[in-house]
Amino acid sequence: MDTELNAGEIHRLLDIEEIRALLARYSHLCDARTDTSFVREIFTQDATDDHGLFGKVFRGWAELEDMYQRSSEFLETAAHFVTNEQIEVSGDTSTARSYVQCWTWLRESSHLGKLRPADYVLVGVYHDTLARTPDGWRISSRLLRPLGTGALGLGTPHPVYFAAYGEAPVGTAGTAGTAGSAR
Amino acid sequence: MDTELNAGEIHRLLDIEEIRALLARYSHLCDARTDTSFVREIFTQDATDDHGLFGKVFRGWAELEDMYQRSSEFLETAAHFVTNEQIEVSGDTSTARSYVQCWTWLRESSHLGKLRPADYVLVGVYHDTLARTPDGWRISSRLLRPLGTGALGLGTPHPVYFAAYGEAPVGTAGTAGTAGSAR
Amino acid sequence: MDTELNAGEIHRLLDIEEIRALLARYSHLCDARTDTSFVREIFTQDATDDHGLFGKVFRGWAELEDMYQRSSEFLETAAHFVTNEQIEVSGDTSTARSYVQCWTWLRESSHLGKLRPADYVLVGVYHDTLARTPDGWRISSRLLRPLGTGALGLGTPHPVYFAAYGEAPVGTAGTAGTAGSAR
């Protein structure tokens, strides 16, 4: 056994495990949020986030909090299912790609009651870079890119996504109901 | 390299890996079940399960088997997709949180044939405590809490869930078809 | 600390981590493919793949590439979400089982625009055997078996799946729309 090799490999496994847990923690904190302070537990202070939303890249805690605040205006809640993690570590930086399904419940559907289906599901790939900080690994940049033909898995998205992803759905607008329901 | 540190860290990684596999094995065994004996491979003998179903918390292998038996009366089969695992280990106990999508096919839809869509998808968070036993890690308590506005992702759930989650869906009852289908 | 035990356990953890990443990489490469050459990064040269499609088991890189080429004729794109990995390693071979949701966008729906929902979601279990090669772990055989009642999660599948999974859906054919839409 090459002890030195193993020390490096153990540290690599520990880093991968911590980063995978961070990607999971993002969902847990984001989906259960009552405010936007979770941003500071996940992202570096000068992190960038390019979700393709609101026509800009958000940079730094204050702007990221603003991005999540804006989305809270039309989202009642969401559930981010993260899978297919590919995590590479190089010293104190890391690159990670993962798949996400974002199941989304809009405020405008709240009259349908709590036991209603999601309004839509978005699907995409997170392209993250991460940094090792004194508080552990944090995301330093996040880019969301579509899976599928245009990031839509199911349902009809909020109009903010038409701008983000370049077009309104053709032929389905005005006819598609909430996920799984017929009108 | 601090050898003692690494010994502890290696054991922590091994525990996390085994617990992650146990959470996956639950799905594999539960979804392929022909009887309820899988319960004894996953849960401690005195484990509790609070799925929020049937108006009670189930305790111990016999009651857990009864819970799964009752659900088999209306479920033809289900597929539990588990993601976003967050696993903390402290000595011989562990706490784990994970996301689950439970895609569900009801017996009452069996006339639609085998190649039919799921009737509904439930979404939630498992809050588990686990214990290290002579047979490996086992779940000692499980609590399922809703994701989304009321644990429903898609479709219309079996009425047993209206009781579990507090209300019937408003406006969709009687109109929503099976997942992805219009009537 | 038993150093030899730990050396073996570290190597097992490294193998599991690499295999989990390979299962994720399959999705990333397959879903983003512009040709079928990704097959050579994932499978051994003489690998077999039994997706239950096209009435045969495909063997070796050329046949596997042919299988993916054939599916590209009706698929515009797909997104494979892999979860619930169970990975066992024994020397230079491994067996892995994992769950997959394959969200699928058909070419025949392209007139609906890019921001359209998936046409259907297939759900199944990958039963893989893997081999350690000079280039790392590779899949040497893959068998896809249905989850749910017939591998369909949502929507109406392309007819090639009726042949694969034994029957056409009864009562839903011709009425089910794209995922989440009503007609």
Side-chain angles (χ1 to χ4, degrees):
Chain A
M1 167 170 137
D2 181 332
T3 303
E4 288 311 307
L5 169 67
N6 274 300
E9 294 293 87
I10 294 165
H11 286 127
R12 192 171 67 86
L13 286 174
L14 288 167
D15 286 335
I16 290 174
E17 192 60 49
E18 185 186 331
I19 290 166
R20 183 160 44 220
L22 179 73
L23 298 178
R25 191 158 82 244
Y26 167 80
S27 299
H28 285 270
L29 292 176
C30 181
D31 297 341
R33 73 179 186 259
T34 53
D35 58 41
T36 61
S37 60
F38 76 96
V39 158
R40 296 164 191 245
E41 294 184 49
I42 300 294
F43 295 93
T44 60
Q45 190 164 357
D46 59 350
T48 57
D49 187 305
D50 181 357
H51 256 65
L53 283 182
F54 307 116
K56 63 173 279 192
V57 176
F58 293 79
R59 180 182 301 272
W61 283 345
E63 287 191 12
L64 287 171
E65 290 175 332
D66 177 54
M67 182 184 80
Y68 286 102
Q69 184 55 41
R70 286 201 215 182
S71 67
S72 292
E73 288 166 16
F74 56 91
L75 299 182
E76 181 166 338
T77 192
H80 293 77
F81 295 89
V82 176
T83 68
N84 301 54
E85 297 91 341
Q86 292 202 281
I87 300 166
E88 301 286 337
V89 177
S90 176
D92 292 333
T93 61
S94 169
T95 56
R97 288 196 302 169
S98 55
Y99 276 20
V100 62
Q101 292 178 4
C102 182
W103 294 59
T104 304
W105 293 260
L106 294 175
R107 293 190 187 281
E108 69 185 41
S109 300
S110 63
H111 62 285
L112 296 172
K114 286 197 174 304
L115 206 61
R116 67 184 192 267
D119 290 283
Y120 54 88
V121 177
L122 295 176
V123 292
V125 184
Y126 287 130
H127 296 256
D128 296 327
T129 57
L130 300 103
R132 190 195 307 273
T133 79
D135 297 321
W137 286 96
R138 293 289 183 270
I139 297 172
S140 54
S141 74
R142 165 158 282 189
L143 188 62
L144 179 66
R145 285 296 169 260
L147 278 168
T149 53
L152 183 61
L154 180 64
T156 302
H158 188 274
V160 71
Y161 290 99
F162 305 159
Y165 298 115
E167 62 171 326
V170 177
T172 57
T175 62
T178 56
S181 74
R183 282 176 183 165
Chain B
M1 170 171 134
D2 180 332
T3 304
E4 288 311 309
L5 168 68
N6 274 302
E9 294 292 87
I10 295 165
H11 285 128
R12 191 171 67 86
L13 286 174
L14 288 167
D15 285 334
I16 289 174
E17 192 60 51
E18 184 186 330
I19 290 166
R20 184 160 42 219
L22 179 74
L23 298 178
R25 191 157 83 244
Y26 166 80
S27 299
H28 285 270
L29 293 175
C30 179
D31 297 340
R33 72 179 186 259
T34 53
D35 59 39
T36 60
S37 60
F38 76 96
V39 158
R40 295 165 192 244
E41 294 185 50
I42 301 294
F43 295 94
T44 61
Q45 190 164 357
D46 60 351
T48 56
D49 187 304
D50 180 358
H51 256 64
L53 284 182
F54 308 118
K56 63 173 281 193
V57 177
F58 293 79
R59 180 181 300 271
W61 283 345
E63 287 191 12
L64 286 172
E65 290 176 332
D66 177 53
M67 182 185 78
Y68 287 101
Q69 184 55 41
R70 286 201 214 182
S71 66
S72 292
E73 287 166 17
F74 58 90
L75 298 183
E76 181 166 337
T77 192
H80 292 76
F81 294 88
V82 177
T83 67
N84 301 57
E85 298 92 341
Q86 292 202 281
I87 300 166
E88 303 285 338
V89 177
S90 175
D92 292 333
T93 61
S94 168
T95 57
R97 288 196 302 170
S98 54
Y99 276 19
V100 62
Q101 291 178 5
C102 182
W103 294 60
T104 306
W105 292 259
L106 294 175
R107 293 189 186 282
E108 69 185 42
S109 299
S110 63
H111 63 284
L112 296 172
K114 287 197 175 303
L115 206 62
R116 70 185 190 268
D119 290 283
Y120 54 88
V121 177
L122 295 176
V123 292
V125 184
Y126 287 131
H127 296 256
D128 296 327
T129 57
L130 300 103
R132 191 194 306 274
T133 79
D135 297 321
W137 286 96
R138 294 290 185 269
I139 297 172
S140 53
S141 74
R142 164 159 282 189
L143 187 64
L144 179 66
R145 285 297 170 258
L147 276 168
T149 52
L152 182 62
L154 180 64
T156 302
H158 188 274
V160 71
Y161 290 98
F162 304 159
Y165 298 115
E167 60 171 327
V170 177
T172 57
T175 62
T178 55
S181 74
R183 282 179 182 164
Chain C
M1 169 170 135
D2 180 332
T3 303
E4 289 310 309
L5 168 66
N6 274 301
E9 293 293 88
I10 294 165
H11 286 127
R12 190 170 69 84
L13 285 175
L14 288 167
D15 286 335
I16 289 174
E17 192 60 50
E18 184 186 331
I19 291 166
R20 184 161 42 219
L22 179 74
L23 298 179
R25 192 157 81 243
Y26 166 81
S27 299
H28 285 271
L29 293 175
C30 180
D31 297 340
R33 72 181 187 259
T34 54
D35 60 40
T36 61
S37 60
F38 76 96
V39 158
R40 294 164 192 245
E41 294 184 49
I42 301 294
F43 295 94
T44 62
Q45 190 164 358
D46 61 350
T48 56
D49 186 305
D50 181 357
H51 256 66
L53 283 182
F54 307 116
K56 63 173 279 194
V57 177
F58 293 80
R59 180 181 301 271
W61 284 345
E63 288 190 12
L64 286 172
E65 290 175 332
D66 177 53
M67 182 184 80
Y68 287 101
Q69 184 55 42
R70 286 202 214 182
S71 66
S72 292
E73 288 166 15
F74 57 91
L75 299 182
E76 181 166 336
T77 191
H80 292 76
F81 295 88
V82 176
T83 67
N84 301 57
E85 298 92 340
Q86 292 201 280
I87 300 166
E88 302 285 337
V89 177
S90 176
D92 293 333
T93 61
S94 168
T95 56
R97 287 197 303 171
S98 55
Y99 276 19
V100 62
Q101 292 178 5
C102 182
W103 294 60
T104 305
W105 292 260
L106 293 175
R107 293 190 187 282
E108 69 184 43
S109 300
S110 63
H111 63 284
L112 296 173
K114 286 198 175 303
L115 206 62
R116 68 185 191 268
D119 290 283
Y120 53 88
V121 176
L122 295 177
V123 292
V125 184
Y126 288 130
H127 297 256
D128 296 326
T129 58
L130 299 104
R132 190 195 308 273
T133 79
D135 298 320
W137 286 96
R138 293 291 184 269
I139 297 172
S140 53
S141 75
R142 164 160 282 189
L143 188 64
L144 179 66
R145 286 295 171 260
L147 277 168
T149 53
L152 183 61
L154 180 64
T156 303
H158 188 273
V160 71
Y161 289 98
F162 305 160
Y165 298 115
E167 60 172 326
V170 177
T172 58
T175 61
T178 55
S181 74
R183 285 175 183 167

